[in-house]
């Protein structure tokens, strides 16, 4: 059933994208790559963890490490709680969470409207972004969950700043 | 489609066959070692025969020709044994063990690749020929009533074990390494095994004569094979169907209760009743799951007879292994966790514990040594003991070795009790073995045992009596997943402290804290009874924001101890103790090293579980090598030559109003009594000045006076302002013997007053943190005069020079 759906989507050259908001920017993640969206949840902070780790939240009997997209983008963490998207870490066969300010509608996007990252993007954005969709009201940056994996972020070295 | 499902069925069948055969081989291994001791036991022979026969039967059905052939030759040999055409000899047992290894290697190959390795087919023929030879020669020798033991030649053995372990290139690296190592030198074998078994065979050749070399090597291989087997955690688990049914029932009940709760509205009357039911169902379910996870320790023990046998041969010892309490049950994960430490302890017992037969005879003991593995329950934990009746551990040698390695100073060693000395064995890099053997003695030893056991919340104890043996006792909790913990708050967050590391809780009000917490350099310490307890502020360590307004409320000190590190953790508040369910953290958070996991508390909040040992290490608390003498500071190196923990007579005095830091209190100073010759009250007019330095004529000598407290100007001023007829003030001067570059010289130290002469304990201190060494006198901290610290009193010889 699901396979059929995907097949149809691919035929039409469109994908369904879940839109997210961080600060003033709009982002999108392929819905097939999202395991679950948790409502307003405040992660428990982990002292001494890298700054981009928002903390941990309980999820289905496990402890979910959550990455703050705000911090990754160089913004200050918000005092109010955000939403957490649960994503698969395909390498470790585990899950992790991404903390965003808000989750918006699911949009069906034409893959033809996807443009690659511009060359002159700063290294942080280059690392995180996976192209962008040109839309009527601006850009929606596509994110690739595999690029947000905590282990990858740590390995990249660009974001590895310890909390002071 | 159909084809696929067929294939899958075959695979499942094969997997089942492998699991069954492995279990059969395990039994066979146990029986074989037992058979060697009791060769007349027919029951054992039939059991072994059955194991091989089953493999042969099933394997033909599954179409594994190579396995069948080998099993068949083994079966015919065993058949002859069963029919009493053969006699049990150590060669026969050796041959059968090789058969077992061969069968196991093929099974492992099938498990890994699904194939039995056709390419290596011809290699089995050696082993088969060897078995055949054993059979024929055994039968001949029985007929001619010759002793079969003498007659054997070692030649076939040389090649046989290699064949047993030869594998196709697709096999895992562990096994391939053995086979490649065989061709070059013994050293190669040791590489793939982890820390505990490293160097298994490395020096086999050094320690044995040329003639024995081959025998050694083959045995070495066998021993390594066993330990690799031991290290491999068993991925499957056998569960009693009864327990499984019980689990299903309880899950059913849980579902029913959930349904009822889902239907609840806020004003449902029996909500409390439902909550109670949920509670009891959960508790029962937990009990059942834990029960299902419990495995008899016998599973673990059963691997040892073979290991002990092979080790015994390698080390030239005669050893028997006995078991007690095999039916004691332990959580599977813990069973896996004690596997390595236990292997190590048994290895130690055979190699270091049991003496060679000749020595045993001399000591009037039975030639055969006994290693006893015993398991039993004791106060909520399982105790596993490894008892040997060997030579025991000589404390003198332990101390000698410790001094040699600089782990303890001679003076400290002189005062150590036997128990304290034995604790030194757990210090890293320690080994008392006279020669490093191929089995143990590399100093990677008891410290690994201890840290492995403590990792799962257990403890290791050591008892030993010279001449009569050693007992290594491991205490492990029943289960890992659920542990009792104390929840504390610090910096606005909750943290869980495992109860087993918690020894004591202290509350300090803010007013008490001002006096009770003393500062040594940058380290703050609390005097807990006889000892100084280094304090760690959890919020500072974790860079948490300090809770404002908490200052006046005082705080709690949780006295923690793990892996030899003992310290007080300062937290803002305590919450209720809870039984927490330990959840692992993701690898990148585990890397921080301070948290061992996380848990969801009763109020739904996530709390991080503190790794007590790692926290102490992070804060720079040094592990205490020896219990009882346990004042440590952040200094990772043992204090140079200052005898830590030594009792010494000290003169306690006060200098002036110049303490450490800004405190107005006069600092208590101490000086070893042995360095003080006299305490003089010197009238001020006797003190003369030369080039701005105060001097005193004393016994025809001119002494330089040290006036660090700047007391002399003060006294002069007091004299001047006093009435002319009032008695002149005098300065108190300690006449000391000061060690210097040009021998010992006398000097004077001006002090405000001498407080006391009493016995005190010199403490280790970081020289980077404060100038002087510290001493504990009458439960108060005193700084030892800097000139006299490093020596901890003068050496007697230099004293005499002056006298």
């Amino acid at each position: 059933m699901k396979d059929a759906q995907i097949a149809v989507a691919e035929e039409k050259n469109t994908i369904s994208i879940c839109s997210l908001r961080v600060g003033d920017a709009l982002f999108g993640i392929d819905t097939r790559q999202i395991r679950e969206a948790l409502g307003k949840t405040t992660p428990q902070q982990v002292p001494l963890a890298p700054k981009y780790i928002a903390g941990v939240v309980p999820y289905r009997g496990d402890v979910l490490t959550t990455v703050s997209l705000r911090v990754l983008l160089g913004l200050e963490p918000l005092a109010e709680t955000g939403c957490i998207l649960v994503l698969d870490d395909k390498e470790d066969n585990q899950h992790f969470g991404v903390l965003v300010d808000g989750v918006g509608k699911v949009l069906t996007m034409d893959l033809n409207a996807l443009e690659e990252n511009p060359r002159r993007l700063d290294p942080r954005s280059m690392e995180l972004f996976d192209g962008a969709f040109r839309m009527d009201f601006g850009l929606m940056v596509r994110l690739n969950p595999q690029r947000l994996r905590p282990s990858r972020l740590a390995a990249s070295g660009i974001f590895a700043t310890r909390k002071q | 489609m159909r084809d696929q499902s067929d294939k899958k069925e075959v695979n499942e069948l094969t997997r089942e066959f492998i699991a069954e055969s492995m279990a059969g081989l395990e039994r066979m291994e146990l029986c074989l070692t037992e058979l060697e001791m009791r060769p007349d036991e027919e029951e054992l022979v039939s059991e072994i025969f059955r194991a091989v026969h089953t493999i042969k039967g099933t394997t033909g059905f599954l179409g594994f020709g190579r396995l069948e052939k080998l099993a068949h030759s083994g079966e015919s040999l065993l058949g002859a044994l069963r029919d009493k055409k053969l006699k049990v000899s150590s060669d026969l047992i050796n041959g059968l063990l090789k058969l077992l290894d061969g069968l196991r290697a093929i099974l492992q190959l099938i498990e890994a690749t699904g194939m039995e390795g056709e390419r290596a087919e011809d290699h089995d023929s050696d082993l088969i020929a060897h078995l055949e030879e054993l059979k024929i020669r055994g039968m001949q020798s029985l007929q001619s009533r010759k002793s079969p033991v003498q007659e054997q030649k070692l030649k076939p053995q040389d090649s046989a074990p290699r064949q047993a372990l030869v594998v196709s290139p697709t096999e895992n690296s562990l096994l391939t390494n053995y086979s490649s190592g065989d061709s070059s030198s013994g050293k190669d074998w040791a590489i793939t095994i982890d820390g505990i078994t490293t160097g298994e065979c490395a020096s086999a050749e050094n320690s044995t004569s040329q003639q024995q070399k081959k025998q050694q090597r083959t045995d070495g291989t066998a021993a390594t094979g066993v330990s690799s087997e031991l290290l491999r955690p068993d991925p499957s688990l056998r569960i009693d169907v009864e327990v499984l049914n019980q689990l299903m029932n309880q899950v059913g009940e849980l579902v029913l209760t959930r349904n009822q709760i889902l239907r609840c509205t806020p004003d449902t009357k029996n909500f409390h009743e439902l909550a109670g039911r949920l509670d009891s169902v959960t508790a029962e379910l937990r009990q059942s799951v834990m029960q299902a996870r419990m495995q008899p320790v016998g599973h673990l023990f059963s691997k040892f007879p073979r290991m002990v046998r092979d080790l015994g041969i390698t080390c030239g010892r005669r050893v028997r292994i006995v078991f007690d309490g095999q039916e004691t049950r332990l959580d599977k994960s813990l069973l896996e966790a004690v596997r390595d430490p236990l292997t190590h302890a048994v290895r130690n017992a055979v190699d270091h514990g049991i003496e060679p037969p000749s020595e045993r005879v001399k000591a009037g003991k039975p030639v055969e040594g006994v290693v006893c593995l015993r398991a039993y329950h004791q106060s909520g934990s399982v105790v596993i003991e490894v008892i040997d009746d060997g030579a025991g551990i000589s404390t003198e040698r332990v101390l000698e070795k410790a001094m040699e390695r600089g782990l303890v100073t001679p003076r400290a060693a002189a005062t150590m009790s036997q128990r304290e000395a034995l604790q030194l064995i757990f210090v890293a890099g320690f080994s008392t073995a006279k020669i490093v053997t191929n089995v143990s003695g590399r100093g990677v030893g008891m410290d690994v045992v201890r840290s492995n056991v403590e990792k799962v919340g257990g403890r290791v104890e050591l008892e030993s009596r010279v001449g009569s043996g050693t007992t290594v006792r491991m205490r492990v909790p029943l289960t890992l997943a659920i542990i009792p913990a104390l929840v504390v708050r610090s910096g606005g967050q909750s943290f869980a402290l495992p109860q087993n590391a918690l020894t004591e809780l202290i509350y300090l009000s803010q007013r008490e804290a001002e006096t009770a917490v003393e500062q040594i350099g940058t380290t703050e310490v609390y005097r807990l009874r006889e000892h100084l307890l280094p304090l760690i502020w959890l919020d500072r360590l974790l860079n948490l924001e300090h809770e404002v307004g908490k200052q006046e409320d005082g705080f709690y000190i949780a006295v923690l101890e793990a892996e030899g590190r003992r310290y007080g953790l300062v937290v803002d508040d305590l919450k209720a103790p809870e039984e927490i369910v330990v959840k692992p953290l993701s690898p990148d958070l585990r890397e921080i090293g301070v948290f061992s996991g996380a848990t969801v508390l009763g109020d739904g909040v996530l709390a991080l579980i503190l790794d007590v040992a790692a926290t102490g290490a992070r804060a720079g608390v040094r592990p205490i090598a020896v219990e009882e003498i346990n004042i440590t500071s952040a200094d990772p190196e043992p204090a140079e030559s200052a005898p830590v923990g030594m009792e010494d007579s000290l003169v306690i005095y006060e200098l002036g109003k110049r303490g450490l830091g800004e405190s107005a209190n006069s600092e208590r100073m101490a000086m070893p009594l042995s360095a003080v010759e006299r305490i003089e009250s010197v009238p001020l007019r006797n003190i003369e000045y030369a080039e701005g330095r105060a001097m005193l004529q004393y016994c025809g000598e001119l002494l330089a006076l040290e006036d660090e407290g700047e007391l002399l100007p003060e006294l002069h001023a007091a004299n001047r302002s006093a009435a002319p007829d009032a008695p002149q003030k005098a300065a108190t001067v300690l006449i000391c013997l000061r060690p210097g570059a040009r021998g010992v010289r006398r000097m004077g130290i001006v002090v405000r007053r001498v407080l006391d002469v009493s016995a005190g304990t010199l403490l280790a201190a970081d020289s980077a943190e404060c100038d002087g060494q510290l001493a504990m006198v009458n439960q108060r901290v005193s700084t030892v005069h800097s000139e006299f610290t490093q020596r901890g009193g003068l050496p007697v010889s230099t004293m005499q020079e002056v006298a």
Side-chain angles (χ1 to χ4, degrees), chain A residues 44-50 52-53 55-59 61-66 92 94-95 150-151 154 162-164, chain B residues 492-495 541-544 583-592 594-595 598-600 604-608 618:
Chain A
Q44 173 73 37
Q45 283 189 20
V46 181
L48 307 175
Y52 58 80
I53 299 282
V56 283
V57 285
Y59 173 69
D62 272 331
V63 174
L64 194 73
T65 306
T66 302
D92 295 347
Q94 278 178 335
H95 322 306
S151 49
R162 297 261 161 193
K163 271 183 194 169
Q164 287 310 306
Chain B
Q493 281 199 42
S494 295
F495 297 94
L541 183 79
L542 300 179
N543 295 330
L544 295 173
K583 299 284 179 201
L585 287 173
S586 65
D588 43 311
L589 293 186
R590 233 176 289 150
E591 229 170 60
I592 301 171
V594 180
F595 309 109
T599 187
V600 181
V605 173
L606 239 161
L608 294 159
R618 190 184 176 94

